[in-house]
PDB file of all heavy atoms in Angstrom:
ATOM      1  N   VAL J   3      15.139  -0.023  10.715  1.00 97.00           N
ATOM      2  CA  VAL J   3      15.446   1.220  10.069  1.00 97.00           C
ATOM      3  C   VAL J   3      15.054   1.205   8.583  1.00 97.00           C
ATOM      4  O   VAL J   3      14.453   2.141   8.082  1.00 97.00           O
ATOM      5  CB  VAL J   3      16.997   1.543  10.263  1.00 97.00           C
ATOM      6  CG1 VAL J   3      17.430   2.725   9.420  1.00 97.00           C
ATOM      7  CG2 VAL J   3      17.356   1.742  11.660  1.00 97.00           C
ATOM      8  N   ILE J   5      12.778  -0.618   7.142  1.00 96.00           N
ATOM      9  CA  ILE J   5      11.309  -0.593   7.140  1.00 96.00           C
ATOM     10  C   ILE J   5      10.798   0.900   7.295  1.00 96.00           C
ATOM     11  O   ILE J   5       9.952   1.344   6.567  1.00 96.00           O
ATOM     12  CB  ILE J   5      10.618  -1.577   8.134  1.00 96.00           C
ATOM     13  CG1 ILE J   5      10.912  -2.962   7.667  1.00 96.00           C
ATOM     14  CG2 ILE J   5       9.125  -1.283   8.306  1.00 96.00           C
ATOM     15  CD1 ILE J   5      10.506  -3.979   8.715  1.00 96.00           C
ATOM     16  N   VAL J   7      12.389   3.611   6.703  1.00 98.00           N
ATOM     17  CA  VAL J   7      12.782   4.476   5.499  1.00 98.00           C
ATOM     18  C   VAL J   7      11.705   4.319   4.442  1.00 98.00           C
ATOM     19  O   VAL J   7      11.237   5.310   3.855  1.00 98.00           O
ATOM     20  CB  VAL J   7      14.185   4.063   5.011  1.00 98.00           C
ATOM     21  CG1 VAL J   7      14.425   4.624   3.666  1.00 98.00           C
ATOM     22  CG2 VAL J   7      15.274   4.527   6.006  1.00 98.00           C
ATOM     23  N   ILE J  14       5.616   9.903   1.561  1.00 98.00           N
ATOM     24  CA  ILE J  14       5.868  10.872   0.555  1.00 98.00           C
ATOM     25  C   ILE J  14       5.099  10.677  -0.771  1.00 98.00           C
ATOM     26  O   ILE J  14       4.538  11.633  -1.363  1.00 98.00           O
ATOM     27  CB  ILE J  14       7.394  10.960   0.217  1.00 98.00           C
ATOM     28  CG1 ILE J  14       8.192  11.513   1.439  1.00 98.00           C
ATOM     29  CG2 ILE J  14       7.703  11.765  -1.046  1.00 98.00           C
ATOM     30  CD1 ILE J  14       9.632  11.371   1.358  1.00 98.00           C
ATOM     31  N   ILE J  16       2.111   9.221  -0.904  1.00 97.00           N
ATOM     32  CA  ILE J  16       0.777   9.538  -0.581  1.00 97.00           C
ATOM     33  C   ILE J  16       0.636  11.081  -0.631  1.00 97.00           C
ATOM     34  O   ILE J  16      -0.330  11.597  -1.155  1.00 97.00           O
ATOM     35  CB  ILE J  16       0.370   9.000   0.829  1.00 97.00           C
ATOM     36  CG1 ILE J  16       0.305   7.494   0.775  1.00 97.00           C
ATOM     37  CG2 ILE J  16      -0.980   9.600   1.318  1.00 97.00           C
ATOM     38  CD1 ILE J  16       0.230   6.941   2.144  1.00 97.00           C
ATOM     39  N   PHE J  23      -3.861  16.241  -6.052  1.00 97.00           N
ATOM     40  CA  PHE J  23      -5.324  16.389  -6.094  1.00 97.00           C
ATOM     41  C   PHE J  23      -5.746  17.684  -5.510  1.00 97.00           C
ATOM     42  O   PHE J  23      -6.603  18.391  -6.025  1.00 97.00           O
ATOM     43  CB  PHE J  23      -5.948  15.163  -5.393  1.00 97.00           C
ATOM     44  CG  PHE J  23      -7.414  15.306  -5.192  1.00 97.00           C
ATOM     45  CD1 PHE J  23      -8.249  15.002  -6.358  1.00 97.00           C
ATOM     46  CD2 PHE J  23      -7.945  15.672  -4.038  1.00 97.00           C
ATOM     47  CE1 PHE J  23      -9.631  15.139  -6.192  1.00 97.00           C
ATOM     48  CE2 PHE J  23      -9.374  15.823  -3.894  1.00 97.00           C
ATOM     49  CZ  PHE J  23     -10.222  15.452  -4.946  1.00 97.00           C
ATOM     50  N   GLY J  31     -13.616  22.609  -9.712  1.00 89.00           N
ATOM     51  CA  GLY J  31     -14.827  23.378  -9.549  1.00 89.00           C
ATOM     52  C   GLY J  31     -15.201  24.080 -10.862  1.00 89.00           C
ATOM     53  O   GLY J  31     -16.383  24.168 -11.253  1.00 89.00           O
ATOM     54  N   VAL J  38      -1.806  16.020 -12.698  1.00 96.00           N
ATOM     55  CA  VAL J  38      -0.388  16.626 -12.798  1.00 96.00           C
ATOM     56  C   VAL J  38       0.510  15.401 -12.568  1.00 96.00           C
ATOM     57  O   VAL J  38       0.193  14.376 -12.025  1.00 96.00           O
ATOM     58  CB  VAL J  38      -0.191  17.719 -11.723  1.00 96.00           C
ATOM     59  CG1 VAL J  38      -1.055  18.864 -11.984  1.00 96.00           C
ATOM     60  CG2 VAL J  38      -0.462  17.157 -10.318  1.00 96.00           C
ATOM     61  N   MET J  41       0.989  13.454  -9.289  1.00 97.00           N
ATOM     62  CA  MET J  41      -0.064  12.515  -8.946  1.00 97.00           C
ATOM     63  C   MET J  41       0.369  11.099  -9.465  1.00 97.00           C
ATOM     64  O   MET J  41       0.314  10.093  -8.783  1.00 97.00           O
ATOM     65  CB  MET J  41      -1.456  12.818  -9.469  1.00 97.00           C
ATOM     66  CG  MET J  41      -1.919  14.175  -8.817  1.00 97.00           C
ATOM     67  SD  MET J  41      -3.440  14.681  -9.504  1.00 97.00           S
ATOM     68  CE  MET J  41      -4.609  13.540  -8.773  1.00 97.00           C
ATOM     69  N   ALA J  61       9.776 -10.691   5.586  1.00 96.00           N
ATOM     70  CA  ALA J  61      11.162 -11.173   5.775  1.00 96.00           C
ATOM     71  C   ALA J  61      11.564 -11.021   7.290  1.00 96.00           C
ATOM     72  O   ALA J  61      12.384 -11.803   7.736  1.00 96.00           O
ATOM     73  CB  ALA J  61      12.144 -10.414   4.917  1.00 96.00           C
ATOM     74  N   ASN J  67      -1.377  -8.402   7.210  1.00 96.00           N
ATOM     75  CA  ASN J  67      -2.785  -8.722   6.933  1.00 96.00           C
ATOM     76  C   ASN J  67      -2.952  -8.673   5.421  1.00 96.00           C
ATOM     77  O   ASN J  67      -3.075  -7.586   4.768  1.00 96.00           O
ATOM     78  CB  ASN J  67      -3.656  -7.626   7.622  1.00 96.00           C
ATOM     79  CG  ASN J  67      -5.107  -7.918   7.468  1.00 96.00           C
ATOM     80  OD1 ASN J  67      -5.511  -8.653   6.594  1.00 96.00           O
ATOM     81  ND2 ASN J  67      -5.871  -7.331   8.394  1.00 96.00           N
ATOM     82  N   LEU J  78      -5.318   1.108  -5.123  1.00 98.00           N
ATOM     83  CA  LEU J  78      -4.238   1.819  -5.804  1.00 98.00           C
ATOM     84  C   LEU J  78      -4.123   1.512  -7.205  1.00 98.00           C
ATOM     85  O   LEU J  78      -3.787   2.386  -8.009  1.00 98.00           O
ATOM     86  CB  LEU J  78      -2.900   1.476  -4.996  1.00 98.00           C
ATOM     87  CG  LEU J  78      -1.722   2.218  -5.506  1.00 98.00           C
ATOM     88  CD1 LEU J  78      -1.865   3.763  -5.401  1.00 98.00           C
ATOM     89  CD2 LEU J  78      -0.487   1.827  -4.821  1.00 98.00           C
ATOM     90  N   GLY J  83      -4.414   3.371 -12.633  1.00 97.00           N
ATOM     91  CA  GLY J  83      -5.020   3.230 -13.956  1.00 97.00           C
ATOM     92  C   GLY J  83      -5.753   4.470 -14.459  1.00 97.00           C
ATOM     93  O   GLY J  83      -5.546   4.890 -15.619  1.00 97.00           O
ATOM     94  N   GLU J  95     -12.756  14.838 -16.462  1.00 94.00           N
ATOM     95  CA  GLU J  95     -14.083  14.937 -15.925  1.00 94.00           C
ATOM     96  C   GLU J  95     -14.109  15.026 -14.404  1.00 94.00           C
ATOM     97  O   GLU J  95     -13.295  14.375 -13.720  1.00 94.00           O
ATOM     98  CB  GLU J  95     -14.973  13.760 -16.379  1.00 94.00           C
ATOM     99  CG  GLU J  95     -15.125  13.568 -17.865  1.00 94.00           C
ATOM    100  CD  GLU J  95     -13.944  12.852 -18.506  1.00 94.00           C
ATOM    101  OE1 GLU J  95     -13.179  12.135 -17.705  1.00 94.00           O
ATOM    102  OE2 GLU J  95     -13.684  12.966 -19.659  1.00 94.00           O
ATOM    103  N   GLY J 104     -11.196  10.652  -3.905  1.00 97.00           N
ATOM    104  CA  GLY J 104     -11.949   9.818  -2.875  1.00 97.00           C
ATOM    105  C   GLY J 104     -11.256   8.555  -2.587  1.00 97.00           C
ATOM    106  O   GLY J 104     -11.211   8.060  -1.444  1.00 97.00           O
ATOM    107  N   ASN J 109      -7.970   5.023   0.718  1.00 97.00           N
ATOM    108  CA  ASN J 109      -6.805   4.160   0.892  1.00 97.00           C
ATOM    109  C   ASN J 109      -6.058   4.585   2.162  1.00 97.00           C
ATOM    110  O   ASN J 109      -5.468   3.782   2.914  1.00 97.00           O
ATOM    111  CB  ASN J 109      -5.869   4.302  -0.294  1.00 97.00           C
ATOM    112  CG  ASN J 109      -5.206   2.994  -0.705  1.00 97.00           C
ATOM    113  OD1 ASN J 109      -5.506   1.998  -0.012  1.00 97.00           O
ATOM    114  ND2 ASN J 109      -4.488   3.001  -1.712  1.00 97.00           N
ATOM    115  N   ILE J 110      -5.962   5.897   2.464  1.00 97.00           N
ATOM    116  CA  ILE J 110      -5.319   6.410   3.677  1.00 97.00           C
ATOM    117  C   ILE J 110      -6.132   5.900   4.947  1.00 97.00           C
ATOM    118  O   ILE J 110      -5.409   5.443   5.846  1.00 97.00           O
ATOM    119  CB  ILE J 110      -5.272   7.864   3.675  1.00 97.00           C
ATOM    120  CG1 ILE J 110      -4.270   8.413   2.563  1.00 97.00           C
ATOM    121  CG2 ILE J 110      -4.803   8.475   5.020  1.00 97.00           C
ATOM    122  CD1 ILE J 110      -4.308   9.913   2.256  1.00 97.00           C
TER     123      ILE J 110
END
Side-chain angles (χ1 to χ4, degrees):
V3 172
I5 290 172
V7 166
I14 289 170
I16 293 168
F23 172 78
V38 295
M41 295 175 74
N67 186 339
L78 183 58
E95 300 83 19
N109 221 0
I110 293 168

